[in-house]
Amino acid sequence: MPIIGTIASAISGHLGLSIDALIVAGGGGGGGNLAGAGGAGGLVYASNQTLAFSTAYSVTVGAGGAGAASGGPNGTAGSNSVFGSLTTAIGGGAGQGDGFSTTGLNGGSGGGGSRGSGNYGLGTAGQGNNGG
């Protein structure tokens, strides 16, 4: 389950505060039984973001995806992480299950393919890489 919260900016003055934000999403779960690994959660670095004074910003920290049971299909994808309206990091793709005609899921970084097919998921441009 993602962690959801709010941070409040209690900054005095009219210009606000400039921050650098590193947002990382939850990684994907691996497929079952000699299958592909889950992809890493997407990573976004946003520099020089201005926070306005007396403003609340919603924050969501994405949870990692669950791995598949032994002999099962794909795991589940990781959850997205969000910092206000500034940026969203995409959750990692789940790994492909061994012996299933599925593909590793797309995500921040794509989920890996199984030993038999190697059908990997695709990564999100600027946040991660394709699975392997």
Side-chain angles (χ1 to χ4, degrees):
M1 173 186 305
I3 298 170
I4 301 172
T6 302
I7 60 170
S9 172
I11 304 161
S12 60
H14 65 282
L15 297 177
L17 175 70
S18 179
I19 66 162
D20 293 338
L22 178 67
I23 299 97
V24 182
N33 193 32
L34 301 174
L43 181 139
V44 174
Y45 177 72
S47 63
N48 296 318
Q49 300 297 306
T50 301
L51 300 182
F53 66 94
S54 299
T55 302
Y57 294 88
S58 174
V59 176
T60 302
V61 179
S70 179
N74 290 7
T76 58
S79 299
N80 297 347
S81 292
V82 182
F83 182 77
S85 62
L86 298 177
T87 192
T88 300
I90 305 300
Q96 178 189 20
D98 187 40
F100 290 85
S101 59
T102 57
T103 298
L105 300 181
N106 299 337
S109 283
S114 71
R115 65 182 171 141
S117 72
N119 294 326
Y120 58 85
L122 303 177
T124 301
Q127 293 195 25
N129 298 301
N130 293 340

XYZ file of all heavy atoms in Angstrom:
806
model
N 0.839 -1.157 0.000
C 0.000 0.000 0.000
C 0.898 1.239 0.000
O 1.816 1.344 0.805
C -0.895 -0.012 1.236
C -1.673 1.284 1.364
S -2.634 1.483 2.873
C -3.643 0.062 2.884
N 0.629 2.201 -0.892
C 1.429 3.423 -0.904
C 1.244 4.222 0.381
O 0.205 4.125 1.036
C 0.875 4.210 -2.093
C -0.025 3.308 -2.822
C -0.366 2.172 -1.929
N 2.226 4.993 0.712
C 2.143 5.893 1.860
C 1.710 7.252 1.323
O 2.313 7.780 0.401
C 3.510 6.014 2.563
C 3.933 4.642 3.091
C 3.444 7.052 3.669
C 5.348 4.610 3.590
N 0.646 7.794 1.882
C 0.115 9.067 1.411
C 0.146 10.049 2.562
O -0.231 9.723 3.683
C -1.323 8.904 0.881
C -1.330 7.898 -0.274
C -1.903 10.238 0.442
C -2.688 7.507 -0.747
N 0.585 11.266 2.290
C 0.650 12.267 3.331
C 0.680 13.659 2.739
O 0.541 13.847 1.536
N 0.880 14.619 3.578
C 0.930 16.012 3.159
C 2.062 16.692 3.891
O 2.285 16.450 5.073
C -0.392 16.732 3.495
O -1.466 16.047 2.864
C -0.377 18.168 3.025
N 2.789 17.532 3.167
C 3.758 18.393 3.838
C 3.271 19.821 3.660
O 2.676 20.163 2.645
C 5.192 18.226 3.292
C 5.284 18.554 1.809
C 5.713 16.839 3.540
C 6.689 18.629 1.299
N 3.488 20.616 4.649
C 3.056 22.001 4.586
C 4.270 22.904 4.484
O 5.275 22.691 5.146
C 2.233 22.347 5.815
N 4.156 23.876 3.646
C 5.226 24.843 3.464
C 4.899 26.071 4.306
O 3.965 26.796 4.011
C 5.326 25.205 1.979
O 6.222 26.257 1.790
N 5.658 26.278 5.361
C 5.445 27.430 6.240
C 6.595 28.401 6.030
O 7.373 28.701 6.921
C 5.362 26.982 7.690
N 6.700 28.887 4.832
C 7.820 29.739 4.435
C 7.370 31.193 4.503
O 6.305 31.536 4.009
C 8.254 29.395 3.004
C 8.590 27.907 2.904
C 9.414 30.250 2.556
C 8.572 27.398 1.494
N 8.187 32.019 5.103
C 7.832 33.429 5.135
C 8.417 34.123 3.906
O 9.367 33.651 3.301
C 8.356 34.079 6.416
O 9.757 33.967 6.464
N 7.812 35.207 3.546
C 8.264 35.933 2.364
C 7.358 35.635 1.188
O 6.459 34.823 1.251
N 7.611 36.279 0.077
C 6.730 36.128 -1.072
C 7.339 35.297 -2.201
O 6.662 34.985 -3.170
C 6.328 37.508 -1.604
C 7.482 38.287 -2.145
N 8.374 38.944 -1.326
C 7.897 38.491 -3.404
C 9.296 39.538 -2.076
N 9.029 39.281 -3.334
N 8.582 34.933 -2.093
C 9.229 34.202 -3.176
C 9.146 32.698 -3.031
O 9.347 31.974 -4.001
C 10.701 34.616 -3.286
C 10.953 36.075 -3.632
C 12.444 36.363 -3.645
C 10.317 36.420 -4.971
N 8.865 32.184 -1.854
C 8.809 30.743 -1.653
C 10.193 30.165 -1.429
O 11.152 30.865 -1.127
N 10.278 28.855 -1.602
C 11.509 28.126 -1.338
C 11.847 27.276 -2.546
O 10.982 26.586 -3.092
C 11.308 27.225 -0.107
C 12.445 26.282 0.267
C 13.626 27.084 0.812
C 11.972 25.293 1.313
N 13.088 27.293 -2.955
C 13.519 26.478 -4.087
C 14.131 25.186 -3.549
O 14.994 25.212 -2.674
C 14.553 27.239 -4.919
O 14.986 26.442 -5.999
N 13.661 24.045 -4.061
C 14.160 22.750 -3.608
C 14.587 21.894 -4.792
O 14.214 22.156 -5.933
C 13.099 21.967 -2.804
C 11.922 21.569 -3.711
C 12.630 22.749 -1.593
C 11.071 20.473 -3.158
N 15.374 20.883 -4.509
C 15.673 19.809 -5.449
C 14.948 18.585 -4.917
O 15.090 18.236 -3.749
C 17.170 19.513 -5.532
C 17.959 20.663 -6.148
O 17.360 21.479 -6.870
O 19.168 20.741 -5.898
N 14.143 17.939 -5.755
C 13.342 16.795 -5.312
C 13.789 15.534 -6.044
O 13.964 15.536 -7.260
C 11.865 17.052 -5.579
N 13.985 14.461 -5.283
C 14.296 13.148 -5.841
C 13.106 12.252 -5.528
O 12.821 11.974 -4.366
C 15.572 12.575 -5.224
C 15.972 11.185 -5.700
C 16.372 11.229 -7.178
C 17.130 10.657 -4.875
N 12.402 11.819 -6.568
C 11.194 11.018 -6.395
C 11.459 9.636 -6.976
O 11.858 9.502 -8.136
C 9.985 11.669 -7.092
C 9.700 13.046 -6.480
C 8.743 10.805 -6.956
C 10.273 14.169 -7.240
N 11.253 8.597 -6.159
C 11.493 7.214 -6.581
C 10.228 6.404 -6.335
O 9.670 6.428 -5.245
C 12.669 6.583 -5.796
C 12.934 5.160 -6.270
C 13.926 7.430 -5.928
N 9.779 5.683 -7.364
C 8.573 4.864 -7.254
C 8.914 3.477 -6.731
O 10.081 3.076 -6.695
C 7.911 4.757 -8.623
N 7.874 2.716 -6.371
C 8.061 1.345 -5.908
C 8.480 0.427 -7.047
O 8.055 0.592 -8.185
N 9.332 -0.546 -6.747
C 9.782 -1.514 -7.749
C 8.750 -2.598 -7.980
O 7.895 -2.863 -7.131
N 8.809 -3.228 -9.144
C 7.879 -4.300 -9.487
C 8.274 -5.620 -8.846
O 9.442 -5.865 -8.557
N 7.290 -6.486 -8.634
C 7.531 -7.811 -8.077
C 7.968 -8.785 -9.163
O 7.595 -8.662 -10.325
N 8.774 -9.755 -8.796
C 9.266 -10.741 -9.746
C 8.229 -11.801 -10.083
O 7.312 -12.055 -9.310
N 8.386 -12.416 -11.248
C 7.524 -13.522 -11.650
C 7.901 -14.777 -10.874
O 8.962 -14.860 -10.262
N 7.044 -15.783 -10.884
C 7.282 -16.995 -10.110
C 8.115 -18.035 -10.839
O 8.027 -18.182 -12.049
N 8.981 -18.769 -10.108
C 9.684 -19.953 -10.578
C 10.563 -19.738 -11.806
O 10.136 -19.945 -12.928
C 8.675 -21.076 -10.846
C 9.351 -22.410 -11.020
O 10.380 -22.661 -10.409
N 8.779 -23.259 -11.839
N 11.807 -19.366 -11.602
C 12.779 -19.159 -12.689
C 12.290 -18.136 -13.707
O 12.482 -18.293 -14.908
C 13.107 -20.486 -13.387
C 13.690 -21.575 -12.491
C 13.836 -22.870 -13.268
C 15.018 -21.153 -11.901
N 11.660 -17.108 -13.210
C 11.059 -16.108 -14.075
C 11.834 -14.805 -14.039
O 12.904 -14.715 -13.428
C 9.621 -15.887 -13.631
N 11.295 -13.790 -14.691
C 11.938 -12.488 -14.753
C 11.813 -11.715 -13.457
O 10.845 -11.860 -12.711
N 12.815 -10.900 -13.215
C 12.802 -10.040 -12.028
C 11.923 -8.822 -12.269
O 11.694 -8.416 -13.412
C 14.225 -9.583 -11.713
N 11.435 -8.241 -11.185
C 10.668 -7.003 -11.293
C 11.597 -5.850 -11.629
O 12.776 -5.843 -11.286
N 11.065 -4.875 -12.352
C 11.840 -3.692 -12.720
C 11.914 -2.699 -11.581
O 11.044 -2.653 -10.705
N 12.958 -1.898 -11.587
C 13.111 -0.850 -10.575
C 12.046 0.213 -10.758
O 11.559 0.445 -11.867
C 14.497 -0.217 -10.693
N 11.689 0.853 -9.668
C 10.765 1.983 -9.766
C 11.427 3.126 -10.505
O 12.644 3.299 -10.471
N 10.624 3.895 -11.206
C 11.148 5.050 -11.931
C 11.780 6.058 -10.990
O 11.427 6.149 -9.819
N 12.709 6.816 -11.501
C 13.426 7.815 -10.720
C 13.341 9.140 -11.456
O 13.624 9.209 -12.650
C 14.890 7.396 -10.564
C 15.752 8.336 -9.746
C 16.676 7.534 -8.852
C 16.548 9.250 -10.637
N 12.913 10.177 -10.741
C 12.826 11.514 -11.306
C 13.573 12.466 -10.389
O 13.360 12.472 -9.175
C 11.361 11.985 -11.442
C 11.290 13.428 -11.902
C 10.592 11.081 -12.385
N 14.461 13.266 -10.967
C 15.152 14.314 -10.222
C 14.682 15.647 -10.783
O 14.855 15.928 -11.963
C 16.669 14.173 -10.370
C 17.435 15.280 -9.688
C 17.514 15.329 -8.305
C 18.062 16.275 -10.419
C 18.214 16.342 -7.656
C 18.763 17.293 -9.786
C 18.823 17.328 -8.416
O 19.513 18.324 -7.782
N 14.032 16.431 -9.961
C 13.513 17.728 -10.376
C 14.252 18.813 -9.608
O 14.074 18.952 -8.401
C 12.015 17.799 -10.118
N 15.090 19.555 -10.279
C 15.870 20.588 -9.597
C 15.174 21.944 -9.674
O 14.374 22.205 -10.574
C 17.274 20.685 -10.199
O 17.203 21.070 -11.552
N 15.495 22.774 -8.707
C 14.988 24.147 -8.643
C 13.470 24.241 -8.729
O 12.927 25.048 -9.463
C 15.641 25.012 -9.733
C 17.129 25.147 -9.537
O 17.594 25.334 -8.423
N 17.867 25.022 -10.618
N 12.781 23.408 -7.958
C 11.325 23.469 -7.890
C 10.933 24.451 -6.791
O 11.456 24.397 -5.689
C 10.748 22.086 -7.583
C 11.098 21.042 -8.606
C 10.520 21.358 -9.968
O 9.326 21.572 -10.103
N 11.367 21.384 -10.975
N 10.035 25.349 -7.099
C 9.639 26.366 -6.131
C 8.393 25.937 -5.366
O 7.383 25.579 -5.970
C 9.365 27.710 -6.837
O 10.561 28.113 -7.515
C 8.965 28.780 -5.835
N 8.512 25.959 -4.039
C 7.370 25.706 -3.169
C 6.851 27.056 -2.681
O 7.607 27.868 -2.161
C 7.782 24.855 -1.960
C 8.370 23.474 -2.245
C 8.668 22.760 -0.938
C 7.436 22.656 -3.108
N 5.570 27.273 -2.881
C 4.959 28.532 -2.453
C 4.748 28.521 -0.944
O 4.529 27.466 -0.348
C 3.629 28.728 -3.166
N 4.801 29.675 -0.327
C 4.610 29.734 1.114
C 3.148 29.481 1.475
O 2.252 29.676 0.667
C 5.112 31.063 1.691
C 4.346 32.275 1.256
C 3.309 32.757 2.031
C 4.673 32.935 0.090
C 2.608 33.869 1.637
C 3.963 34.055 -0.305
C 2.929 34.521 0.460
N 2.933 28.970 2.680
C 1.602 28.665 3.217
C 0.795 27.750 2.302
O -0.406 27.921 2.131
C 0.826 29.951 3.481
O 1.511 30.739 4.429
N 1.448 26.784 1.705
C 0.794 25.854 0.787
C 1.063 24.419 1.232
O 2.171 24.096 1.631
C 1.338 26.051 -0.650
O 1.117 27.406 -1.037
C 0.652 25.113 -1.628
N 0.041 23.571 1.147
C 0.199 22.147 1.454
C 0.463 21.394 0.157
O -0.158 21.674 -0.871
C -1.045 21.611 2.128
N 1.397 20.440 0.203
C 1.746 19.625 -0.963
C 1.485 18.162 -0.641
O 1.968 17.636 0.349
C 3.219 19.828 -1.338
C 3.502 21.218 -1.826
C 3.839 22.230 -0.925
C 3.416 21.520 -3.162
C 4.077 23.517 -1.372
C 3.665 22.809 -3.619
C 3.978 23.799 -2.722
O 4.218 25.074 -3.166
N 0.726 17.505 -1.492
C 0.418 16.088 -1.319
C 1.626 15.248 -1.720
O 2.262 15.505 -2.745
C -0.781 15.729 -2.197
O -1.016 14.353 -2.159
N 1.930 14.234 -0.902
C 3.072 13.358 -1.169
C 2.595 11.902 -1.126
O 1.936 11.493 -0.177
C 4.185 13.551 -0.116
C 5.326 12.576 -0.345
C 4.687 14.982 -0.130
N 2.913 11.146 -2.161
C 2.613 9.719 -2.194
C 3.904 8.963 -2.450
O 4.604 9.251 -3.429
C 1.603 9.374 -3.303
O 0.408 10.117 -3.094
C 1.295 7.884 -3.320
N 4.233 8.011 -1.581
C 5.418 7.167 -1.752
C 4.924 5.804 -2.221
O 4.221 5.106 -1.493
C 6.211 7.034 -0.436
C 7.415 6.130 -0.631
C 6.642 8.413 0.056
N 5.261 5.435 -3.446
C 4.768 4.195 -4.033
C 5.346 2.961 -3.364
O 6.530 2.893 -3.051
N 4.481 1.967 -3.173
C 4.893 0.695 -2.582
C 5.442 -0.236 -3.655
O 5.105 -0.117 -4.833
C 3.701 0.040 -1.891
N 6.269 -1.168 -3.239
C 6.784 -2.183 -4.160
C 5.704 -3.203 -4.492
O 4.798 -3.446 -3.694
N 5.796 -3.790 -5.673
C 4.833 -4.806 -6.094
C 5.147 -6.163 -5.475
O 6.288 -6.463 -5.135
N 4.132 -6.993 -5.356
C 4.304 -8.333 -4.793
C 4.836 -9.295 -5.851
O 4.476 -9.207 -7.021
C 2.962 -8.840 -4.264
N 5.686 -10.190 -5.420
C 6.178 -11.233 -6.314
C 5.125 -12.310 -6.510
O 4.234 -12.485 -5.680
N 5.221 -13.031 -7.619
C 4.273 -14.114 -7.903
C 4.613 -15.339 -7.064
O 5.764 -15.547 -6.671
C 4.324 -14.473 -9.381
N 3.620 -16.153 -6.824
C 3.842 -17.421 -6.129
C 4.657 -18.351 -7.022
O 4.695 -18.182 -8.240
C 2.501 -18.059 -5.785
N 5.317 -19.323 -6.430
C 6.106 -20.281 -7.197
C 5.231 -20.928 -8.265
O 4.150 -21.426 -7.986
C 6.666 -21.353 -6.263
O 7.417 -22.289 -7.009
N 5.708 -20.882 -9.496
C 4.952 -21.446 -10.604
C 3.841 -20.544 -11.088
O 3.080 -20.911 -11.965
N 3.768 -19.328 -10.530
C 2.698 -18.400 -10.903
C 3.078 -17.511 -12.069
O 4.203 -17.561 -12.572
N 2.143 -16.695 -12.486
C 2.393 -15.779 -13.603
C 3.210 -14.567 -13.154
O 3.997 -14.671 -12.221
C 0.978 -15.392 -14.031
C 0.179 -15.486 -12.773
C 0.791 -16.624 -11.987
N 2.983 -13.444 -13.794
C 3.717 -12.220 -13.465
C 3.496 -11.802 -12.010
O 2.451 -12.082 -11.428
C 3.249 -11.062 -14.339
C 3.648 -11.195 -15.778
O 4.187 -12.209 -16.213
N 3.389 -10.168 -16.556
N 4.487 -11.086 -11.476
C 4.287 -10.400 -10.205
C 3.398 -9.197 -10.458
O 2.791 -9.076 -11.525
N 3.328 -8.285 -9.500
C 2.538 -7.071 -9.700
C 3.467 -5.867 -9.805
O 4.569 -5.856 -9.258
C 1.530 -6.855 -8.555
O 2.246 -6.776 -7.322
C 0.524 -7.985 -8.482
N 2.987 -4.868 -10.517
C 3.786 -3.654 -10.737
C 3.889 -2.842 -9.452
O 3.023 -2.925 -8.577
C 3.152 -2.811 -11.840
N 4.958 -2.049 -9.343
C 5.100 -1.129 -8.227
C 4.183 0.070 -8.404
O 3.706 0.355 -9.500
N 3.941 0.786 -7.319
C 3.068 1.958 -7.344
C 3.864 3.221 -7.661
O 5.053 3.325 -7.338
C 2.374 2.148 -5.989
O 1.575 1.038 -5.684
N 3.171 4.195 -8.254
C 3.789 5.478 -8.571
C 4.057 6.283 -7.307
O 3.363 6.134 -6.309
C 2.875 6.300 -9.482
C 2.629 5.654 -10.825
O 3.307 4.703 -11.213
N 1.664 6.161 -11.552
N 5.059 7.154 -7.363
C 5.322 8.123 -6.298
C 5.076 9.513 -6.865
O 5.437 9.789 -8.011
C 6.768 8.018 -5.800
O 6.977 6.803 -5.117
N 4.458 10.379 -6.056
C 4.066 11.700 -6.529
C 4.453 12.741 -5.489
O 4.291 12.515 -4.286
C 2.531 11.775 -6.759
C 2.118 13.125 -7.308
C 2.068 10.655 -7.664
N 4.933 13.877 -5.951
C 5.206 15.013 -5.066
C 4.396 16.202 -5.579
O 4.755 16.824 -6.576
C 6.691 15.356 -5.036
C 7.019 16.489 -4.102
C 7.076 16.273 -2.743
C 7.247 17.761 -4.581
C 7.368 17.312 -1.866
C 7.540 18.800 -3.726
C 7.595 18.582 -2.366
N 3.266 16.490 -4.929
C 2.386 17.572 -5.353
C 2.042 17.440 -6.825
O 1.808 16.342 -7.329
N 2.025 18.557 -7.503
C 1.797 18.524 -8.947
C 3.119 18.663 -9.696
O 3.131 18.802 -10.910
C 0.844 19.651 -9.354
O 1.424 20.902 -9.040
N 4.224 18.589 -8.935
C 5.527 18.807 -9.564
C 5.935 17.669 -10.483
O 6.397 17.892 -11.589
C 6.611 19.002 -8.495
C 6.441 20.198 -7.570
C 7.547 20.225 -6.527
C 6.446 21.482 -8.364
N 5.794 16.437 -10.015
C 6.275 15.322 -10.830
C 5.773 13.988 -10.318
O 5.395 13.855 -9.163
C 7.818 15.332 -10.891
O 8.254 14.431 -11.890
C 8.429 14.980 -9.564
N 5.766 13.000 -11.197
C 5.369 11.634 -10.853
C 6.426 10.663 -11.339
O 6.863 10.734 -12.490
C 4.022 11.265 -11.515
O 3.020 12.169 -11.058
C 3.625 9.845 -11.200
N 6.859 9.756 -10.473
C 7.744 8.664 -10.860
C 6.875 7.430 -11.069
O 6.005 7.131 -10.260
C 8.795 8.406 -9.778
N 7.100 6.711 -12.164
C 6.279 5.560 -12.539
C 6.792 4.298 -11.844
O 7.990 4.026 -11.842
C 6.307 5.359 -14.067
C 5.885 6.648 -14.797
C 5.412 4.185 -14.476
C 4.508 7.151 -14.475
N 5.870 3.494 -11.306
C 6.230 2.248 -10.630
C 6.895 1.256 -11.574
O 6.655 1.258 -12.781
N 7.750 0.406 -11.023
C 8.481 -0.585 -11.817
C 7.568 -1.668 -12.361
O 6.566 -2.034 -11.741
N 7.914 -2.188 -13.525
C 7.140 -3.260 -14.144
C 7.395 -4.595 -13.463
O 8.475 -4.842 -12.927
N 6.413 -5.473 -13.495
C 6.539 -6.792 -12.886
C 7.253 -7.752 -13.830
O 7.175 -7.622 -15.046
C 5.152 -7.330 -12.543
N 7.939 -8.726 -13.249
C 8.641 -9.726 -14.036
C 7.699 -10.757 -14.632
O 6.646 -11.055 -14.067
N 8.078 -11.298 -15.778
C 7.284 -12.316 -16.464
C 7.363 -13.640 -15.728
O 8.424 -14.050 -15.274
C 7.795 -12.492 -17.893
C 7.059 -13.574 -18.666
C 7.724 -13.881 -19.992
O 8.891 -13.590 -20.187
N 6.974 -14.477 -20.893
N 6.235 -14.334 -15.637
C 6.207 -15.657 -15.024
C 6.785 -16.705 -15.963
O 6.600 -16.647 -17.176
N 7.509 -17.674 -15.427
C 8.131 -18.726 -16.235
C 7.075 -19.655 -16.831
O 6.193 -20.134 -16.142
C 9.102 -19.544 -15.376
C 9.888 -20.538 -16.211
O 10.288 -20.174 -17.325
O 10.098 -21.667 -15.745
N 7.177 -19.903 -18.136
C 6.270 -20.819 -18.800
C 4.923 -20.211 -19.148
O 4.019 -20.908 -19.600
N 4.750 -18.934 -18.961
C 3.492 -18.277 -19.287
C 3.675 -17.447 -20.548
O 4.741 -16.904 -20.798
C 3.029 -17.375 -18.129
C 2.589 -18.151 -16.933
C 3.516 -18.581 -15.990
C 1.260 -18.475 -16.759
C 3.128 -19.308 -14.889
C 0.850 -19.212 -15.655
C 1.786 -19.626 -14.720
N 2.638 -17.332 -21.332
C 2.737 -16.566 -22.577
C 2.433 -15.098 -22.308
O 1.620 -14.483 -22.970
C 1.777 -17.134 -23.619
O 0.450 -17.074 -23.128
N 3.078 -14.574 -21.294
C 2.910 -13.173 -20.924
C 4.222 -12.448 -21.195
O 5.205 -13.047 -21.626
C 2.563 -13.052 -19.430
O 3.601 -13.673 -18.671
C 1.230 -13.710 -19.112
N 4.231 -11.196 -20.929
C 5.418 -10.366 -21.099
C 5.667 -9.644 -19.787
O 4.713 -9.316 -19.079
C 5.169 -9.334 -22.235
O 4.932 -10.038 -23.448
C 6.353 -8.412 -22.426
N 6.937 -9.385 -19.466
C 7.214 -8.536 -18.316
C 6.484 -7.211 -18.512
O 6.362 -6.715 -19.637
N 5.972 -6.650 -17.445
C 5.175 -5.425 -17.570
C 6.044 -4.186 -17.744
O 7.178 -4.118 -17.269
C 4.287 -5.260 -16.334
C 3.295 -6.392 -16.071
C 2.462 -6.082 -14.828
C 2.399 -6.624 -17.278
N 5.482 -3.206 -18.443
C 6.143 -1.914 -18.608
C 6.083 -1.152 -17.290
O 5.200 -1.388 -16.465
C 5.447 -1.103 -19.697
C 5.473 -1.783 -21.043
O 6.319 -2.623 -21.324
N 4.536 -1.427 -21.894
N 7.015 -0.241 -17.075
C 7.013 0.558 -15.856
C 8.143 1.559 -15.871
O 8.698 1.866 -16.929
N 8.504 2.081 -14.680
C 9.650 2.982 -14.587
C 10.847 2.325 -15.249
O 11.460 2.851 -16.167
N 11.196 1.121 -14.806
C 12.059 0.186 -15.530
C 11.196 -1.033 -15.794
O 10.391 -1.430 -14.950
C 13.288 -0.226 -14.710
O 14.261 0.795 -14.719
N 11.326 -1.609 -16.976
C 10.483 -2.733 -17.354
C 10.825 -3.992 -16.593
O 11.972 -4.211 -16.189
N 9.822 -4.863 -16.419
C 10.039 -6.156 -15.787
C 10.807 -7.084 -16.713
O 10.731 -6.979 -17.942
N 11.590 -7.987 -16.135
C 12.392 -8.913 -16.913
C 11.578 -10.045 -17.506
O 10.521 -10.404 -17.001
N 12.087 -10.614 -18.606
C 11.447 -11.770 -19.233
C 11.901 -13.054 -18.556
O 12.926 -13.096 -17.881
N 11.156 -14.124 -18.759
C 11.521 -15.405 -18.158
C 12.630 -16.076 -18.957
O 12.959 -15.656 -20.064
C 10.299 -16.322 -18.086
O 9.940 -16.757 -19.383
N 13.167 -17.160 -18.413
C 14.280 -17.855 -19.060
C 13.905 -18.402 -20.423
O 14.747 -18.548 -21.288
C 14.779 -18.985 -18.167
C 13.729 -20.066 -17.972
C 14.192 -21.153 -17.071
N 13.044 -22.012 -16.774
C 13.106 -23.308 -16.695
N 14.246 -23.922 -16.853
N 12.035 -23.999 -16.428
N 12.628 -18.728 -20.638
C 12.226 -19.319 -21.904
C 11.997 -18.315 -23.012
O 12.514 -18.442 -24.114
N 11.226 -17.277 -22.744
C 10.842 -16.359 -23.821
C 11.626 -15.066 -23.832
O 11.887 -14.514 -24.895
C 9.358 -16.025 -23.710
O 9.138 -15.188 -22.604
N 11.951 -14.560 -22.680
C 12.678 -13.292 -22.621
C 11.852 -12.098 -23.056
O 12.392 -11.090 -23.481
N 10.531 -12.189 -22.968
C 9.663 -11.071 -23.341
C 9.637 -10.048 -22.207
O 8.857 -10.150 -21.274
C 8.240 -11.562 -23.631
C 8.183 -12.447 -24.849
O 8.918 -12.255 -25.797
N 7.309 -13.439 -24.809
N 10.500 -9.076 -22.290
C 10.657 -8.096 -21.216
C 9.740 -6.889 -21.409
O 9.271 -6.608 -22.504
C 12.111 -7.628 -21.115
C 12.641 -7.020 -22.390
C 12.426 -5.688 -22.688
C 13.368 -7.790 -23.300
C 12.905 -5.126 -23.851
C 13.861 -7.242 -24.472
C 13.622 -5.903 -24.741
O 14.101 -5.350 -25.902
N 9.521 -6.166 -20.300
C 8.731 -4.933 -20.338
C 9.608 -3.744 -20.680
O 10.827 -3.774 -20.553
N 8.967 -2.700 -21.135
C 9.672 -1.480 -21.526
C 9.731 -0.485 -20.371
O 8.798 -0.376 -19.582
C 8.960 -0.836 -22.719
C 8.813 -1.719 -23.958
C 8.030 -0.987 -25.045
C 10.168 -2.164 -24.460
N 10.833 0.258 -20.306
C 10.992 1.304 -19.305
C 10.431 2.621 -19.783
O 10.219 2.824 -20.982
N 10.172 3.519 -18.857
C 9.670 4.860 -19.160
C 10.852 5.771 -19.477
O 11.803 5.852 -18.693
C 8.896 5.414 -17.959
O 7.818 4.532 -17.655
C 8.355 6.805 -18.233
N 10.794 6.452 -20.610
C 11.883 7.334 -21.033
C 12.182 8.363 -19.950
O 11.284 8.975 -19.391
C 11.497 8.047 -22.330
N 13.454 8.523 -19.641
C 13.894 9.486 -18.650
C 13.761 9.022 -17.204
O 14.163 9.732 -16.302
N 13.183 7.829 -16.968
C 13.007 7.334 -15.603
C 13.658 5.988 -15.352
O 13.933 5.653 -14.214
C 11.508 7.233 -15.265
C 10.817 8.558 -15.191
C 9.464 8.462 -14.519
O 9.205 7.564 -13.722
N 8.614 9.394 -14.814
N 13.854 5.194 -16.371
C 14.405 3.858 -16.175
C 14.808 3.234 -17.500
O 14.912 3.904 -18.516
N 14.991 1.915 -17.476
C 15.450 1.174 -18.638
C 14.500 0.030 -18.954
O 13.668 -0.350 -18.134
C 16.851 0.605 -18.378
C 17.871 1.684 -18.135
O 18.098 2.537 -18.976
N 18.462 1.664 -16.951
N 14.667 -0.554 -20.130
C 13.913 -1.747 -20.492
C 14.360 -2.911 -19.618
O 15.508 -2.960 -19.183
C 14.135 -2.110 -21.953
C 13.559 -1.077 -22.905
O 12.704 -0.294 -22.527
N 14.010 -1.081 -24.130
N 13.451 -3.874 -19.401
C 13.814 -5.090 -18.686
C 14.759 -5.926 -19.540
O 15.039 -5.626 -20.693
N 15.257 -7.010 -18.977
C 16.199 -7.844 -19.717
C 15.777 -9.284 -19.745
O 14.772 -9.662 -19.221
